[in-house]
Amino acid sequence: MTYLDYYNGKKILVTGGAGAVGSNLVKKLLELGAFVIVIDNLSSGYTWLLPDDAPNLLFVHGDITNDIDLKRVFNEEPEIVFHLAAFFANQNSVDYPEKDLMTNGFGTLKLLEYAKIYGKVERFIYASSGCSIYPSDAPMPYKENLPPSMWMSTPYQITKMLGELYGNYFLKMYNIPFTKARFFNSFGPGEVPGQYRNVIPNFIYWALSGKPLPITGTGEETRDFTYVGDIVDGLLRMGYYKEAIGEAFNLAAGREIKIKYLAEKVNELTGNKAGIIFKERRKWDTKPTLLASNEKAKKLLEFNPDPDFDKRLAETVEWFKENWENIKKFAQFGPGVSSAVR
């Protein structure tokens, strides 16, 4: 049996399953023959990202902090939990720290408690954040054995670490088979742009709208952009391999991309002539460069991410073009964001 065959016939709960990573994971699980239960409050997810005619999909419009909603999904007796729901992301948590704590902290605790009470969960995969966990002054590439940062610059970073600690506790005290997936700058089809979204969907949105692309910094900053399909593959491997239990894994491409190169490439792919503008770096952005080691995931999970960034970026641009009407309808930019299309 391969790790993909393993999911055929399994009952699987995906929290945040209508989000960017979640919807891609759900589609893959349905393709593999799993029965998938999705819980999502649609604060940053969209039902149009999910298939509307899958007989093996149960969608619950609910919240991971709500006992009634949690009883509903755990009554389906899921065998595997992929916990992707989160109050996303850094700037959002700075603006609304209490909401961040309720969702990312209390919500994660509630899910772990229900996993313990129902006693059917064979694996609990937690979506953490490598961009948040590691110290800004740590040597790169970041490795999983680095001690976590003690000086975090956003509530989101704090609560992502809190989720890891809660999971470690439930593993040690109650034998919940918990494992931590540390994401690095996911991108790809399924991510709708907005004020609190990642740079790639926003760049593509603005470029297709004929707007200049704003870089907060010098453009020499780097990120370890990882294609969403690779992250989904890493999550599936973490749900299968016993070696994953109790461990943290960087789900990352393992290479740096400069933000200026990204902006130029997006403009090229979209035919945008508006160029680039430079703005002051955000106060909380204390990591001008990011690079992860994925050697542990390669060794223990046989993780093998696609190194071709340009190809995957082009696919993402094509997805934007194909879904442009929905994207224009649902893109959420706050007041004063001049580069957003109204």
Side-chain angles (χ1 to χ4, degrees):
M1 176 187 292
T2 70
Y3 73 102
L4 296 176
D5 297 328
Y6 172 73
Y7 289 95
N8 184 31
K10 288 285 185 180
K11 284 188 176 182
I12 299 173
L13 172 62
V14 181
T15 75
V21 176
S23 61
N24 281 279
L25 175 62
V26 168
K27 290 174 185 175
K28 186 64 178 179
L29 287 168
L30 294 174
E31 175 189 316
L32 295 174
F35 178 76
V36 184
I37 308 115
V38 170
I39 182 171
D40 200 306
N41 65 7
L42 301 181
S43 61
S44 58
Y46 307 93
T47 55
W48 61 270
L49 293 174
L50 296 171
D52 57 9
D53 58 351
N56 51 335
L57 171 63
L58 171 64
F59 177 79
V60 175
H61 184 187
D63 197 285
I64 60 170
T65 64
N66 185 291
D67 283 297
I68 294 174
D69 297 332
L70 289 175
K71 287 175 183 177
R72 173 68 186 92
V73 297
F74 274 93
N75 275 337
E76 297 294 330
E77 298 185 339
E79 299 160 271
I80 301 170
V81 176
F82 289 98
H83 176 30
L84 310 182
F87 188 72
F88 185 81
N90 283 300
Q91 187 59 55
N92 207 7
S93 73
V94 171
D95 294 342
Y96 304 101
E98 292 181 3
K99 287 184 179 179
D100 174 84
L101 179 59
M102 282 298 295
T103 301
N104 298 352
F106 184 62
T108 299
L109 174 59
K110 295 288 287 184
L111 280 164
L112 287 162
E113 286 182 325
Y114 272 85
K116 177 181 73 117
I117 292 167
Y118 276 73
K120 301 285 186 179
V121 174
E122 299 170 3
R123 192 70 52 89
F124 191 112
I125 301 96
Y126 171 66
S128 186
S129 169
C131 303
S132 300
I133 296 298
Y134 299 113
S136 56
D137 59 350
M140 285 189 284
Y142 293 147
K143 295 184 178 180
E144 291 88 346
N145 60 359
L146 282 169
S149 175
M150 292 295 103
W151 300 98
M152 295 181 174
S153 54
T154 70
Y156 179 78
Q157 295 172 3
I158 294 169
T159 55
K160 277 295 165 182
M161 185 70 237
L162 178 61
E164 289 202 5
L165 295 174
Y166 271 134
N168 292 344
Y169 167 75
F170 274 80
L171 170 65
K172 181 177 180 180
M173 299 302 295
Y174 305 111
N175 295 315
I176 299 298
F178 181 80
T179 182
K180 298 161 282 193
R182 293 176 177 170
F183 294 177
F184 278 81
N185 302 103
S186 171
F187 78 98
E191 187 165 15
V192 177
Q195 182 178 0
Y196 297 114
R197 296 296 190 171
N198 291 319
V199 62
I200 288 182
N202 285 355
F203 271 8
I204 297 172
Y205 179 71
W206 290 327
L208 288 172
S209 305
K211 301 289 184 179
L213 305 188
I215 293 177
T216 53
T218 66
E220 294 299 307
E221 296 84 1
T222 67
R223 292 294 182 263
D224 194 340
F225 292 113
T226 309
Y227 187 62
V228 66
D230 291 326
I231 287 181
V232 165
D233 183 67
L235 288 169
L236 293 174
R237 291 173 183 274
M238 290 178 68
Y240 171 73
Y241 284 94
K242 288 183 172 59
E243 292 85 351
I245 296 174
E247 298 291 337
F249 293 93
N250 293 335
L251 297 187
R255 48 105 175 91
E256 293 178 275
I257 301 293
K258 288 185 178 181
I259 301 301
K260 187 171 185 291
Y261 174 84
L262 165 65
E264 291 170 345
K265 196 67 184 177
V266 168
N267 279 337
E268 175 190 325
L269 289 168
T270 59
N272 183 31
K273 305 299 183 184
I276 297 169
I277 57 175
F278 292 89
K279 296 185 176 183
E280 186 177 355
R281 182 180 296 163
R282 294 158 295 191
K283 184 177 180 180
W284 53 262
D285 188 359
T286 60
K287 295 178 180 177
T289 60
L290 279 174
L291 176 63
S293 168
N294 55 23
E295 290 305 311
K296 181 178 178 181
K298 285 183 174 181
K299 180 179 179 181
L300 296 183
L301 308 177
E302 300 182 80
F303 179 60
N304 187 31
D306 187 348
D308 193 341
F309 174 75
D310 288 1
K311 174 187 173 183
R312 296 307 191 180
L313 182 63
E315 290 177 3
T316 307
V317 170
E318 287 306 307
W319 179 84
F320 263 72
K321 292 177 179 178
E322 292 167 3
N323 294 275
W324 187 236
E325 291 307 313
N326 269 333
I327 288 169
K328 284 194 297 182
K329 180 180 179 181
F330 290 99
Q332 297 179 356
F333 289 92
V337 184
S338 60
S339 48
V341 175
R342 302 301 177 192

